[in-house]
Amino acid sequence: MAGASGGVFLEGGSERAADGIHTRPELRAGTTYRLVVTCFGHGSAHLTIAPTTSGADAPVPCDRSVVRRRVKGDGEVRIDVAGTKGSEGVLAWRITTL
């Protein structure tokens, strides 16, 4: 996976859309990371990054689209992706350094 994005792989995985993604990585201040999220199935999900100075929230359609976000390291960063009501499918994600 590290070679696919050109950076060093930090963490990633897959979850059911109904369960969502809930991770709290410790990201080194001054370092920029790439977060990639995709959803396979139907419906949609929503990506939330906190603190907001670390990155921007985004919708994640469950149509195999790839959502990419730059995330600024600032200690513990909260990354959550929650499926909307009635969504079914699988969320896949990874965080790499740029």
Side-chain angles (χ1 to χ4, degrees):
M1 229 188 253
S5 66
V8 176
F9 177 75
L10 181 66
E11 65 178 64
S14 61
E15 305 291 341
R16 295 181 324 156
D19 295 336
I21 298 166
H22 310 285
T23 186
R24 308 292 183 263
E26 284 287 332
L27 302 181
R28 187 178 16 205
T31 301
T32 303
Y33 299 83
R34 176 178 292 137
L35 170 66
V36 177
V37 180
T38 189
C39 184
F40 298 84
H42 71 273
S44 64
H46 189 77
L47 165 65
T48 304
I49 301 171
T52 56
T53 56
S54 291
D57 296 354
V60 181
C62 289
D63 63 358
R64 299 183 185 184
S65 296
V66 177
V67 176
R68 292 178 181 86
R69 286 289 180 263
R70 287 179 180 238
V71 179
K72 295 178 185 173
D74 192 20
E76 184 180 88
V77 175
R78 294 185 314 272
I79 298 171
D80 294 294
V81 183
T84 59
K85 186 174 182 173
S87 294
E88 292 183 6
V90 176
L91 295 161
W93 61 283
R94 73 173 178 240
I95 301 171
T96 57
T97 59
L98 282 179

